[in-house]
Amino acid sequence: MGKTTPYFGSYNQSECIQYLLDAEELCKRHENKNLDAPLQTFNEGNTDMVKAFKKERKSNITKLLTQYDQRRDDAIVCLSLVARAYSNHFDAEIRDAAETVLNTIDKYGKSLHRLNYQSQTSVLSNLYNDLTTETGVTALAKIHMTDVAEEMQTSNNLFNETYLARVEESAAQDQIATGELIKVSIDNYRHLVSIIEAYHTIKPDDGYDVLLKQLNELAAKYNGLISSTGANEEDSEEQES
């Protein structure tokens, strides 16, 4: 039986939490005594994780962060897609301008909107500096993306200022706790799966095969949510490291 690994590094926070809760529910339904201890640890970790997440969601600053993060995501995605489209333009000057913008973006990697908060803030700031050189400004103007580059910088600055404001309030600790508790739950999940796999090897007829198939299907379902963005297991492992 092939194994489908959840791409935790490519899920957003709410998707990651929901996956872990869904996996817990699947394991509970099998009512296997051999899994009681690791499942209890998994349950306790998930409970703490959800409590921290709910507290963090109440922060007004967090809502602003989400809005500004989406704005900068939209800007960089728009800039990339339009530049890629113009790279096929019939006018050679416009094609060259689009290639200049694309090469400047690609210098920082793929899917910049998927970087973690701190990395994205730094990368977009450096990208803006590169795009506002004489060559960059000319290229942006050729493909009518000057205003989008400015929006990217404005929203990125707003995000950074708001992020620093959140660090100064108590809700910042909730956010840090949520991220750390998600990592703990992921470790608990992996430990639980390793135990299920071990028991399946020893007692292949005790229903472990069915549970593993269900967990594989769950992972495939969640991985499918991010497949359209080009995320893959290699990206996931890179983000988790």
Side-chain angles (χ1 to χ4, degrees):
M1 176 181 61
K3 180 178 180 180
T4 303
T5 302
Y7 304 160
F8 286 119
S10 293
Y11 300 164
N12 63 39
Q13 194 174 74
S14 59
E15 289 169 346
C16 197
I17 290 172
Q18 192 57 52
Y19 177 92
L20 294 166
L21 295 176
D22 288 347
E24 178 188 340
E25 181 60 27
L26 284 176
C27 293
K28 283 180 177 178
R29 290 179 182 180
H30 279 260
E31 299 181 346
N32 192 311
K33 298 271 184 202
N34 291 325
L35 302 180
D36 282 353
L39 187 52
Q40 178 65 23
T41 299
F42 187 35
N43 168 260
E44 291 172 355
N46 284 351
T47 299
D48 291 341
M49 171 186 69
V50 170
K51 286 180 180 177
F53 181 68
K54 286 181 177 179
K55 288 180 182 178
E56 178 264 329
R57 294 287 286 184
K58 293 179 181 178
S59 168
N60 289 329
I61 289 182
T62 296
K63 292 177 182 177
L64 281 176
L65 274 179
T66 301
Q67 292 172 11
Y68 294 147
D69 187 43
Q70 187 62 55
R71 276 180 57 178
R72 66 182 187 174
D73 285 354
D74 290 345
I76 185 58
V77 169
C78 176
L79 184 59
S80 299
L81 290 178
V82 171
R84 196 163 303 282
Y86 271 116
S87 67
N88 295 291
H89 199 276
F90 66 87
D91 187 312
E93 287 189 5
I94 294 178
R95 284 201 309 272
D96 290 343
E99 289 293 342
T100 296
V101 173
L102 280 177
N103 291 336
T104 304
I105 295 172
D106 289 345
K107 182 172 69 173
Y108 292 97
K110 303 294 183 182
S111 300
L112 303 186
H113 62 291
R114 287 194 170 278
L115 295 172
N116 63 44
Y117 280 173
Q118 295 89 337
S119 295
Q120 187 174 351
T121 300
S122 175
V123 164
L124 293 188
S125 179
N126 290 331
L127 173 59
Y128 177 78
N129 290 337
D130 289 349
L131 289 172
T132 50
T133 60
E134 184 177 351
T135 300
V137 167
T138 301
L140 286 172
K142 283 282 186 183
I143 62 172
H144 312 290
M145 283 286 103
T146 301
D147 57 342
V148 176
E150 292 300 325
E151 161 64 8
M152 179 187 75
Q153 176 70 350
T154 297
S155 55
N156 196 44
N157 285 340
L158 285 170
F159 178 91
N160 191 45
E161 292 166 7
T162 307
Y163 185 86
L164 293 176
R166 193 188 62 185
V167 169
E168 295 175 348
E169 71 161 27
S170 59
Q173 297 305 315
D174 292 330
Q175 172 64 15
I176 293 170
T178 301
E180 292 303 317
L181 289 171
I182 287 175
K183 291 179 183 179
V184 170
S185 282
I186 289 173
D187 287 342
N188 290 339
Y189 167 78
R190 288 172 173 159
H191 178 63
L192 176 59
V193 170
S194 69
I195 290 176
I196 296 170
E197 290 172 338
Y199 275 115
H200 172 59
T201 300
I202 299 170
K203 299 179 179 180
D205 298 326
D206 269 15
Y208 298 107
D209 182 64
V210 173
L211 179 53
L212 288 173
K213 285 180 179 178
Q214 290 175 344
L215 292 174
N216 279 353
E217 289 175 7
L218 182 67
K221 173 185 173 183
Y222 276 79
N223 291 349
L225 296 174
I226 49 90
S227 62
S228 61
T229 62
N232 54 42
E233 189 165 5
E234 181 179 341
D235 294 332
S236 172
E237 290 173 353
E238 189 176 36
Q239 290 184 46
E240 289 181 52
S241 61

